[in-house]
Amino acid sequence: MQVTETRKRTRRGTQRVTMTDVATAADVSPSTVSLFLRRPESVSRHLAERIARVIDEMGYVPNLVAGSLAAARSRTVGVILPSILNSFFAETYNTLQGMFQAAHYQTLLGVSEFSPEEEESLIRAFLAWSPAAMVVTGFHHTERTRSMLASCGVPVVEMWDMPGHPGEAVGISVGFSHFEVGRMQTSHLYDQGSRKVAYIGAAASQDLRVRSRTDGYEAEVMRRGLHDPIDFTVPDAATTEVGRWLIDEILTRHPDIDGVVCSNDALALGVLFEVTRRDLRVPDDLAVVGFGDLPFSNSCPPPLTTVRPPQREIGRLSATQILAALDGVRVTQKHHNLDCELVIRGSTRPVAKR
């Protein structure tokens, strides 16, 4: 298989790292870089280490599309999701796929399972086949991933989150503030009458968006000043059984809580099961709010108050931004902060209008 240079310039005019760039930085010939990529054992150890270091630093990805096709852009868009088990990620992907298909682009889907290292491996593999654009989830990348995305020379969208500081985003961001979601959930519980509110979260070590919602909870608790934060988070996946276990732990240690914020609707469903087993009344004894507005949320007993993320709008706007960039439209707005909706149902009390 012949290894060729990546494109030097996209339609947008963005410079992409080439094999010649790597050779210049490593002070070797392009043919030596090509030989290293095809048969690394044929290059001296000293040169191999130098070339490998430069490739990592520059984020270079060899183009596997050989010969004259190397300069052509494929009509595929790489999409990396952390999971396909959560229906809101699936809704976003379905929207992306539908819009790209209508524009005669095909999607290539990878699932990272919330692992930055797996995301890096997927992105490296996708970029090697010269995609037209890349869509990734969030900003928790390895440094090598950030370097590859920054130098790949195609439109990049990071979705489902908002950057916390300048420079955190590599490309266009389309999402919402998970910190503000945590504040919204907690504020609603206080406004509807709760006076001691706890928080439960799962997959906290893998999904930093859960950590951001926890931070939002803690900030609102401190702002209200009624008690110290009570947050229980675990690395386990967000399941109904984990929700039952977590609320059992909290009620054992803090039997006087009267509200609980859940990082996921599946956890909230487990909370409803456990408080029913304990003969507690929802929302009179314990008010419950979730996140995600999953399909069961409106039909569980009682129907679950939750925050509905704009999953379809994230997919629509992400696809719109990429298709515009591929058509040569100059991007004037890099960050698109969307609104989430608080859906009030039977697991919390109605809030009187002020």
Side-chain angles (χ1 to χ4, degrees):
M1 178 178 63
Q2 181 184 359
V3 180
T4 60
E5 288 188 347
T6 53
R7 292 187 307 275
K8 286 188 176 182
R9 190 172 294 276
T10 68
R11 187 171 181 175
R12 293 185 304 156
T14 302
Q15 189 70 32
R16 183 175 183 175
V17 176
T18 67
M19 186 184 297
T20 302
D21 296 329
V22 173
T24 300
D27 195 23
V28 297
S29 67
S31 61
T32 302
V33 176
S34 179
L35 180 62
F36 167 77
L37 292 169
R38 289 180 288 112
R39 297 195 305 274
E41 71 280 0
S42 299
V43 178
S44 71
R45 180 178 176 181
H46 174 68
L47 287 181
E49 290 176 352
R50 187 197 306 171
I51 295 170
R53 183 172 63 254
V54 169
I55 287 174
D56 282 344
E57 290 172 352
M58 300 184 74
Y60 172 72
V61 179
N63 193 331
L64 299 180
V65 183
S68 62
L69 292 178
R73 182 175 62 214
S74 73
R75 298 195 69 85
T76 61
V77 177
V79 181
I80 310 292
L81 299 178
S83 171
I84 55 175
L85 297 179
N86 290 330
S87 64
F88 38 75
F89 288 133
E91 289 282 357
T92 297
Y93 179 71
N94 287 340
T95 303
L96 281 169
Q97 185 180 44
M99 292 188 65
F100 286 137
Q101 282 183 338
H104 307 292
Y105 287 89
Q106 298 299 316
T107 54
L108 187 62
L109 175 63
V111 180
S112 69
E113 300 294 348
F114 295 99
S115 166
E117 291 73 26
E118 179 62 20
E119 180 193 57
E120 177 186 321
S121 177
L122 288 166
I123 288 173
R124 186 180 297 278
F126 283 12
L127 290 179
W129 292 101
S130 192
M134 289 294 301
V135 181
V136 297
T137 306
F139 308 104
H140 185 209
H141 312 304
T142 67
E143 284 303 315
R144 288 177 179 175
T145 293
R146 290 181 61 83
S147 180
M148 285 190 289
L149 292 176
S151 63
C152 68
V154 300
V156 174
V157 166
E158 294 162 294
M159 61 179 185
W160 270 93
D161 206 349
M162 277 288 104
H165 57 81
E168 185 177 16
V170 175
I172 301 167
S173 55
V174 178
F176 56 92
S177 168
H178 290 262
F179 179 88
E180 291 302 325
V181 166
R183 292 193 72 151
M184 178 192 298
Q185 292 172 293
T186 311
S187 179
H188 172 65
L189 290 184
Y190 285 127
D191 290 346
Q192 60 89 58
S194 295
R195 288 297 171 263
K196 191 170 185 179
V197 177
Y199 179 97
I200 62 171
S205 59
Q206 302 99 319
D207 188 354
L208 294 188
R209 290 171 290 277
V210 173
R211 181 65 251 178
S212 293
R213 297 198 290 275
T214 310
D215 291 342
Y217 155 80
E218 292 178 349
E220 185 62 18
V221 169
M222 299 304 291
R223 189 182 77 84
R224 299 279 180 149
L226 299 178
H227 59 89
D228 291 332
I230 305 167
D231 51 288
F232 283 43
T233 59
V234 294
D236 309 63
T239 65
T240 301
E241 186 58 35
V242 170
R244 292 187 66 168
W245 169 62
L246 284 171
I247 195 61
D248 178 65
E249 285 285 315
I250 288 182
L251 288 172
T252 299
R253 302 186 193 187
H254 302 275
D256 56 338
I257 67 165
D258 57 0
V260 60
V261 174
C262 305
S263 72
N264 180 285
D265 283 354
L267 295 182
L269 183 62
V271 170
L272 296 180
F273 287 157
E274 179 60 22
V275 297
T276 299
R277 187 188 71 81
R278 288 170 172 255
D279 292 326
L280 297 175
R281 298 167 301 167
V282 177
D284 295 335
D285 297 321
L286 186 71
V288 182
V289 61
F291 171 78
D293 196 26
L294 298 180
F296 61 79
S297 301
N298 195 34
S299 56
C300 56
L304 180 64
T305 293
T306 185
V307 173
R308 178 184 295 154
Q311 58 263 51
R312 290 188 182 91
E313 181 63 9
I314 289 173
R316 187 198 67 80
L317 190 53
S318 296
T320 298
Q321 292 296 306
I322 283 176
L323 292 173
L326 292 174
D327 283 339
V329 177
R330 184 172 176 270
V331 175
T332 57
Q333 182 180 349
K334 285 200 63 178
H335 307 307
H336 301 266
N337 193 357
L338 306 178
D339 293 327
C340 293
E341 179 185 359
L342 177 66
V343 183
I344 300 176
R345 299 189 180 115
S347 66
T348 61
R349 306 176 190 88
V351 176
K353 293 182 178 179
R354 297 175 181 177

